[in-house]
Amino acid sequence: MKNRIKELREEQSISQEKMARQLNVSRQTIISIEKGRYNPSLPLAMQMARLFNRTVEEVFILEDEEEM
């Protein structure tokens, strides 16, 4: 699964640290998600999407959907 976390975070000038605090996770968690090393739980993915005022589908992309 790919994501647009870094892109959306930078668009809104939100630091990794600030985002981590808002979501009650570590900065390392944000880094791992941005780099695709870790996929968040569904509740965390929904919180992230809400933070950016987007749908989960706008933030997270299943790799097989890219081929369509």
Side-chain angles (χ1 to χ4, degrees):
M1 179 165 57
K2 293 188 177 184
N3 69 71
R4 298 178 55 215
I5 299 296
K6 184 174 182 177
E7 171 192 344
L8 296 168
R9 183 178 57 74
E10 289 176 347
E11 277 179 12
Q12 295 188 14
S13 301
I14 300 172
S15 69
Q16 291 172 333
E17 185 65 38
K18 182 177 179 182
M19 184 174 178
R21 280 194 312 268
Q22 290 176 323
L23 297 170
N24 200 30
V25 298
S26 70
R27 180 174 167 263
Q28 189 60 42
T29 297
I30 301 301
I31 292 167
S32 293
I33 293 170
E34 284 185 357
K35 292 187 176 190
R37 287 188 253 153
Y38 171 74
N39 289 325
S41 65
L42 182 56
L44 181 55
M46 293 175 77
Q47 287 178 315
M48 294 175 123
R50 188 175 296 145
L51 179 69
F52 298 120
N53 201 27
R54 305 285 179 123
T55 65
V56 172
E57 292 84 1
E58 290 175 305
V59 178
F60 297 93
I61 302 105
L62 289 175
E63 294 194 50
D64 62 333
E65 288 181 358
E66 291 178 346
E67 297 170 4
M68 294 179 168

